Amino acid sequence: MPAPTTHGFAEKVALIINGHEGIGRAVALQLALSGCYVILSYPGSYGSQANILNELTSLGTLANAFEFVDAKSAIEEVEKLYGRLDLIVNCLEYDQDSVYLINTIIEEGAKLMQSRPKPTIVTVITRKVVEDMTVLTQQTQEFSSTLLSHFRVNLIIAEKSESFQEYGLFETKTGVQNDDVARVVTFLLSSEAKALNGQVLFAR
């Protein structure tokens, strides 16, 4: 099993929405290294989840994956697998459906999480252009104040730039790296960030 860490993740159950690639995959690997039981959801358009599952189990943790259909079904699947849920990480691109999806995942997840001692939710929104984040900010702050007092809910906005070609030679991507965002996520999920609730952080 992975060595214990100061984050206190050992044997916690974590659900990562879109944990099959990008930031979600980076978060899954870091949590697995810290002893979490990791459950990934992936979209129906995604192919095999075997590679990421093999990576996770090779780290000595329990891992599962399933196709995301809707929030209710996702939480029911977690309950069937482990009977409990400690952490949720939503990894989504910003579009018109993001606000609704985050809302339903948190509402459904909170029902299973409420009996846990330190339920924590982090949403990571990636965006490629400057857009108004007011609705997501208000949503985060509302959940942080309306859920039971032992819940923590925070939001990370990760700014990604479009790829471009320079002189027709190399394709370069600018913007924050997945592993760097994942480190911020694991910090917010940890007991070290227990004073942070309803916060919006920008990763650039």
Side-chain angles (χ1 to χ4, degrees), residues 6-199:
T6 57
H7 292 309
F9 290 134
E11 299 186 358
K12 285 192 174 183
V13 177
L15 170 63
I16 305 174
I17 305 298
N18 289 340
H20 61 294
E21 63 181 2
I23 293 172
R25 176 181 176 277
V27 171
L29 291 170
Q30 290 191 22
L31 289 178
L33 280 168
S34 298
C36 254
Y37 301 154
V38 179
I39 308 169
L40 313 178
S41 80
Y42 55 90
S45 57
Y46 184 68
S48 172
Q49 73 276 19
N51 289 341
I52 181 62
L53 279 181
N54 289 340
E55 285 183 273
L56 292 170
T57 53
S58 71
L59 298 174
T61 190
L62 296 177
N64 299 85
F66 58 84
E67 180 181 336
F68 185 90
V69 178
D70 56 56
K72 183 176 175 58
S73 298
I75 301 305
E76 288 175 349
E77 184 68 21
V78 173
E79 186 171 21
K80 186 192 310 179
L81 288 167
Y82 291 98
R84 59 188 172 92
L85 179 60
D86 299 282
L87 312 171
I88 293 178
V89 181
N90 295 307
C91 296
L92 303 167
E93 288 191 11
Y94 183 62
D95 57 31
Q96 293 182 341
D97 297 326
S98 299
V99 175
Y100 173 76
L101 183 56
I102 293 165
N103 187 75
T104 55
I105 291 169
I106 293 177
E107 285 186 342
E108 293 296 331
K111 299 173 186 176
L112 184 57
M113 300 172 80
Q114 61 185 351
S115 63
R116 304 303 296 162
K118 298 177 182 178
T120 308
I121 301 167
V122 175
T123 294
V124 184
I125 288 290
T126 56
R127 62 178 188 176
K128 295 181 178 179
V129 295
V130 176
E131 298 177 28
D132 185 4
M133 295 284 114
T134 302
V135 175
L136 284 174
T137 299
Q138 291 175 341
Q139 181 188 52
T140 300
Q141 293 171 342
E142 180 177 346
F143 273 119
S144 70
S145 61
T146 57
L147 290 176
L148 296 175
S149 60
H150 65 308
F151 274 83
R152 287 190 294 115
V153 183
N154 292 294
L155 170 68
I156 298 172
I157 298 172
E159 297 191 356
K160 297 276 190 175
S161 297
E162 296 282 5
S163 61
F164 64 92
Q165 283 193 319
E166 187 174 7
Y167 306 115
L169 297 176
F170 301 103
E171 185 173 308
T172 306
K173 289 187 177 180
T174 60
V176 67
Q177 300 300 305
N178 294 333
D179 285 341
D180 293 331
V181 179
R183 291 186 185 95
V184 180
V185 173
T186 54
F187 169 72
L188 289 176
L189 292 172
S190 75
S191 58
E192 298 167 46
K194 64 182 180 180
L196 298 178
N197 192 22
Q199 301 301 304

